[in-house]
Amino acid sequence: MSAPRLDVDLAAVTHNTRVLVDLLHERGVTVIAVTKAALGSPAVGTAMMAGGASGLGDSRIEDLETLRAGGVAAPLTLIRTPMLSQAARVVRGSATSLNTEPGVVGALAAAALAQGVVHQVVLMVELGDLREGLLTADVLDAARTVTALPGVRLHGIGTNLACRSGVIPDQAKMDELSVLADRVERACSITLAVVSGGNSANLEWALGTRVPGRVNQLRLGEAILLGVEPLHRTPLPGLRTDAFRLVAEVVEARPKPARPWGHFAQAAFGTPTTVEGTGTVNQVVLALGRQDADAAGLVPPPGVRVLAMSSDHLVVDAGDLDLHVGDELTFGLQYGCLLRAMTSPSVTLTLRTPATTRAPRAHAVPI
Ligand SMILES: *Cc1c(COP(=O)(O)O)cnc(C)c1O
């Protein structure tokens, strides 16, 4: 099999989705499963839908188009505020988009009218993380504007926390969103279908609260794909953390001194980290570089230590493992590393579909 490669266990993706969907269902919250870290892989999207997600979301319209082209029939939501230049494409490729700019909503409305459809708009509210979102003082005006526009329908409001600044989506933030939802409904005489509370970082709140208030939707990527919650990166009970694994091939295996020798200046990526230890290490070099993975987010197997990573070489201390050229070593990944691996043209995606899962055509669809 080719290396490096990302082995994807689609049954684990379905399992993780199912566990989260069931837990949140008890609290009246549905799940939009976010495929962006999988670049809109139809196989991954299909596995998520098999786990009971109510729809799929992605930050890039290209990825949503990939899902559709791969035969995925789920409702699609664009979760990044659309580019003005892509308005027509967004209306064609998604039923719903998250928005903050009246000018963009106007362009979506015009495109929807031209295409003879109604596009659903979720207005995003800034609650302190300082990424996308309308200031709360501007939400009612924006809601009235959207409600009055033919071609679009105000589908709901939402927020996104813990992405830029690490602001925790706690009860106070979610209560603020609930209050805003009530106010929008009164001001516009409508019922909002969706109050979208946030991403995987909301799980701690959502699974712990007795007062979900108006929040009835979460948009979950990382928790489904990696089985962890992003606030502390702790594994979520009952979820599998091995849905994605990165496999690399050994290109050199040779015991070497722990310490480099000669006179020192910068290395390929600036000042090299100080070397720990003395004597000889069981040094193994793998054909995996920063082009393919992020050293910080690469989780080596037990007993193996990552020593360094350059553009194309990963150097590890393999400990007691007896590795030879041509052998493969399997790593776990954190979110940033998954993203890097998915976007590296050198990393192939291998879909594992045990005969017991129902994800159809998983091997036939492109990534
Ligand atoms: C990426 C993203 C999500 C999903 O985030 P995860 O932490 O992967 O669950 C949800 N909403 C928005 C707006 C996003 O950009």
Side-chain angles (χ1 to χ4, degrees):
M1 244 190 270
S2 77
R5 65 176 183 276
L6 259 179
D7 273 346
V8 188
D9 186 335
L10 295 170
V13 173
T14 299
H15 168 83
N16 286 355
T17 313
R18 169 63 63 202
V19 169
L20 290 168
V21 163
D22 288 350
L23 283 171
L24 290 167
H25 177 76
E26 294 166 21
R27 291 157 172 85
V29 174
T30 61
V31 172
I32 294 221
V34 174
T35 55
K36 71 187 181 204
L39 303 189
S41 155
V44 172
T46 301
M48 289 165 152
M49 291 308 292
S54 63
L56 299 175
D58 201 289
S59 47
R60 290 161 196 263
I61 192 65
E62 298 89 326
D63 291 349
L64 294 179
E65 290 167 355
T66 301
L67 285 166
R68 268 293 181 268
V72 176
L76 301 181
T77 299
L78 182 67
I79 62 171
R80 181 171 68 186
T81 48
M83 287 186 229
L84 189 58
S85 61
Q86 291 186 332
R89 200 169 160 188
V90 168
V91 167
R92 215 173 295 120
S94 65
T96 309
S97 59
L98 311 187
N99 285 271
T100 61
E101 289 289 344
V104 172
V105 176
L108 293 171
L113 284 177
Q115 293 174 31
V117 296
V118 173
H119 185 73
Q120 303 189 137
V121 167
V122 173
L123 286 177
M124 294 297 277
V125 184
E126 175 63 70
L127 291 182
D129 198 55
L130 294 180
R131 203 179 71 180
E132 77 277 32
L134 290 151
L135 296 172
T136 49
D138 300 330
V139 171
L140 289 191
D141 273 354
R144 286 191 192 99
T145 306
V146 176
T147 310
L149 267 179
V152 288
R153 177 166 47 238
L154 184 57
H155 187 57
I157 65 170
T159 195
N160 194 69
L161 293 161
C163 266
R164 176 190 156 183
S165 312
V167 171
I168 298 172
D170 56 14
Q171 190 67 47
K173 300 286 184 195
M174 293 299 104
D175 286 348
E176 201 178 345
L177 191 65
S178 288
V179 167
L180 267 172
D182 289 342
R183 271 204 232 135
V184 166
E185 289 186 341
R186 254 180 278 125
C188 302
S189 306
I190 54 168
T191 304
L192 296 175
V194 156
V195 180
S196 193
N199 54 54
S200 296
N202 280 60
L203 282 168
E204 203 170 81
W205 165 80
L207 299 178
T209 186
R210 265 184 240 103
V211 214
R214 295 290 314 268
V215 173
N216 63 4
Q217 180 192 82
L218 292 184
R219 311 173 302 273
L220 302 180
E222 182 168 354
I224 291 174
L225 298 174
L226 298 180
V228 298
E229 60 78 37
L231 287 179
H232 316 287
R233 296 259 139 67
T234 46
L236 287 155
L239 294 199
R240 289 186 49 186
T241 55
D242 61 348
F244 287 77
R245 291 183 310 164
L246 188 57
V247 182
E249 184 174 323
V250 174
V251 291
E252 180 187 297
R254 182 161 296 149
K256 287 197 180 178
R259 297 192 165 272
W261 63 90
H263 300 290
F264 297 100
Q266 295 212 347
F269 291 89
T271 312
T273 49
T274 36
V275 173
E276 289 163 22
T278 52
T280 303
V281 296
N282 181 14
Q283 179 171 309
V284 165
V285 180
L286 297 126
L288 185 79
R290 295 195 193 204
Q291 285 197 19
D292 318 300
D294 173 10
L298 201 57
V299 185
V304 174
R305 203 159 50 96
V306 171
L307 297 174
M309 193 179 212
S310 56
S311 310
D312 311 293
H313 297 81
L314 175 66
V315 185
V316 303
D317 174 356
D320 295 333
L321 290 185
D322 184 23
L323 289 173
H324 300 273
V325 165
D327 285 350
E328 292 183 337
L329 203 56
T330 300
F331 297 81
L333 331 84
Q334 294 176 349
Y335 193 73
C337 191
L338 172 61
L339 211 57
R340 184 84 62 91
M342 280 297 307
T343 48
S344 167
S346 313
V347 178
T348 54
L349 198 65
T350 315
L351 306 170
R352 276 189 204 291
T353 314
T356 49
T357 61
R358 283 187 305 125
R361 294 185 295 119
H363 289 285
V365 292
I367 65 162

